[in-house]
Amino acid sequence: MPLSQTHLIQLETRVVRVRTLLFLRWIAILGQLGAILFVSFVLGFELPTAPCLGLVALSAWSNVFLRVKFADDRRMPEEWTNGVMTFDVLQLGAQLMLTGGLTNPFAFLIIAPVMVSATTLSANRTLTLWAIVFLVSTMLAVVYMPLPWYAGEAFNPPFLFVGGVWLALVCSLSFMGFYAYRVAEERRQLVNALTATELVLNREQNLQALDGLAAAAAHELGTPLATISVVTRELERELEPDSPIGDDIRLLRSQSERCRNILGKLKNLREDGESPLVRHSVHTLLEEVVGPHRDKGIAVRLDVLGLDEDENKPIIWRNPAIHYGLGNLVENAVEFARSAVSVTADWNQDAVQIVIADDGPGFPDDVLDRIGDPFVSRRRTQDKAGGLGLGIFIAKTLLERTGASVVFENDEGAITSVTWPRDALSRER
């Protein structure tokens, strides 16, 4: 059962641990405190020490409050993380306004909260924080107290220099924030895709294990049913021919025999290989794969070719990796097809091949040789943007682990060929 990207498991990847956030803020607090004390007492520069230390104390008390409110090993809710980042921007902005604005060498530290937000929060919250940093940095370019300097001297750079610092800060803020967000988002999507795949495979493996559970249940129920059968025979022999309960006793015995026959079949599910939970034909496999995609407005045609002799038709051990891999390829074909998708199965004495073709735009020529690698977008149409290529990557990886070779090509649309050696499909996994 394939999962589209819209149904991937949404993990709690947009949050940060309280311990991590508090640790980073303590480093920032100690850094500000050290810088203020060094400039004031070592370099001897004049600066508003009391207000600066008051801002540091405010940050320290906020950290203490967060430590009391949240457990150390918890993950902080996204709205709280966003509020903390906004507070840090405003606190640092006030600190810079007292100590030279954008002429302060530490002005670029105002980017740090945006970087943290880009890697842990959603795009909307990161953009909001970016706008706050932009406004604060713009204000610092025009409203600030002079940079602390040597006694009797003043450091007053021209406005052109300050404007250049502002432009560099905004460009760095935009580029680094976007870069950090994209890298973190791709990692989140990869983790979600792999997790969703693992859940699907576990579900298929549980289904495959049902035959073993059925055999175990049959074994356990065999003894009490045999006892019931013996007791009913004894009762039937002791009853008078015209006994009013004779028919009921005979019915009870016949039904117990029927239950024993049913349980006998369940016990032999794995040995006889007839159960669809254990093995199935290529046609049954493809019907299970194609079925969920026949109600999406695209005509999905299934053709099963191959040898005519029944004894030569391949019987496949049920493998969740094959189901998920083929299902994902069919799902992608349906998504990009204009009107039709064909799934064709063929085989001979040596190999089994399944070809999935659609009448869509095909694979881009510039990435055709890299289709199946992670983060390589499959294709793009006028109204559909290509994804990260994770679905194709996962499907190709799973199918290759079952012994298949997967080939992607174009011919009036996209064509994906999956080929197994016959012995690879006949082995139990």
Side-chain angles (χ1 to χ4, degrees), residues 155-166:
F155 184 80
N156 294 314
F159 183 76
L160 183 63
F161 174 83
V162 178
V165 173
W166 174 86

Side-chain angles (χ1 to χ4, degrees), residues 213-228:
L213 295 176
H219 177 75
E220 294 295 328
L221 292 174
T223 300
L225 283 174
T227 303
I228 294 173

Side-chain angles (χ1 to χ4, degrees), residues 190-369:
L190 177 59
V191 170
N192 288 343
L194 294 177
T195 302
T197 304
E198 182 180 358
L199 292 176
V200 170
L201 294 181
N202 286 338
R203 183 166 55 189
E204 289 290 341
Q205 289 167 351
N206 291 335
L207 178 62
Q208 190 176 4
L210 284 178
D211 64 314
L213 295 176
H219 177 75
E220 294 295 328
L221 292 174
T223 300
L225 283 174
T227 303
I228 294 173
S229 179
V230 171
V231 172
T232 53
R233 283 195 182 96
E234 293 294 332
L235 290 174
E236 191 175 359
R237 282 198 296 265
E238 295 179 3
L239 289 174
E240 297 294 334
D242 57 349
S243 174
I245 64 172
D247 291 338
D248 294 334
I249 295 296
R250 285 187 287 272
L251 177 62
L252 179 61
R253 182 173 61 83
S254 64
Q255 293 302 308
S256 66
E257 291 293 338
R258 182 182 178 188
C259 289
R260 292 184 66 187
N261 292 334
I262 294 173
L263 292 177
K265 293 180 180 180
L266 292 178
K267 291 173 66 176
N268 296 324
L269 279 178
R270 182 167 292 276
E271 286 75 10
D272 60 24
E274 295 299 326
S275 171
L277 299 178
V278 181
R279 296 195 301 172
H280 48 199
S281 65
V282 174
H283 185 268
T284 302
L285 165 66
L286 294 182
E287 282 291 348
E288 291 184 9
V289 168
V290 170
H293 306 288
R294 281 182 165 149
D295 57 351
K296 297 183 179 180
I298 299 295
V300 182
R301 186 178 72 254
L302 175 60
D303 296 318
V304 180
L305 309 176
L307 300 176
D308 295 332
E309 296 81 2
D310 291 343
E311 60 271 15
N312 287 322
K313 291 182 179 180
I315 300 298
I316 305 171
W317 283 98
R318 189 176 186 93
N319 190 323
I322 295 177
H323 279 70
Y324 182 84
L326 291 177
N328 203 298
L329 295 177
V330 172
E331 181 183 42
N332 276 274
V334 171
E335 180 182 357
F336 287 94
R338 293 188 177 94
S339 59
V341 172
S342 66
V343 181
T344 306
D346 196 3
W347 59 82
N348 54 32
Q349 297 290 353
D350 301 317
V352 176
Q353 184 180 62
I354 296 175
V355 179
I356 302 169
D358 64 68
D359 59 355
F363 301 107
D365 294 333
D366 57 335
V367 298
L368 185 58
D369 59 341

Side-chain angles (χ1 to χ4, degrees), residues 16-83:
V16 62
R17 291 182 63 186
V18 174
R19 178 185 301 175
T20 301
L21 184 60
L22 296 186
F23 177 75
L24 293 175
R25 297 187 80 236
W26 280 123
I27 292 178
I29 290 169
L30 293 176
Q32 289 186 23
L33 180 61
I36 293 170
L37 296 178
F38 180 81
V39 171
S40 180
F41 297 103
V42 178
L43 296 181
F45 293 168
E46 293 186 4
L47 76 161
T49 305
C52 291
L53 292 178
L55 290 172
V56 173
L58 184 61
S59 288
W61 278 111
S62 69
N63 241 19
V64 173
F65 168 77
L66 292 174
R67 179 63 184 84
V68 173
K69 182 173 180 60
F70 297 102
D72 201 33
D73 57 347
R74 278 191 58 189
R75 294 187 179 274
M76 184 173 291
E78 187 175 358
E79 59 273 12
W80 273 89
T81 305
N82 184 70

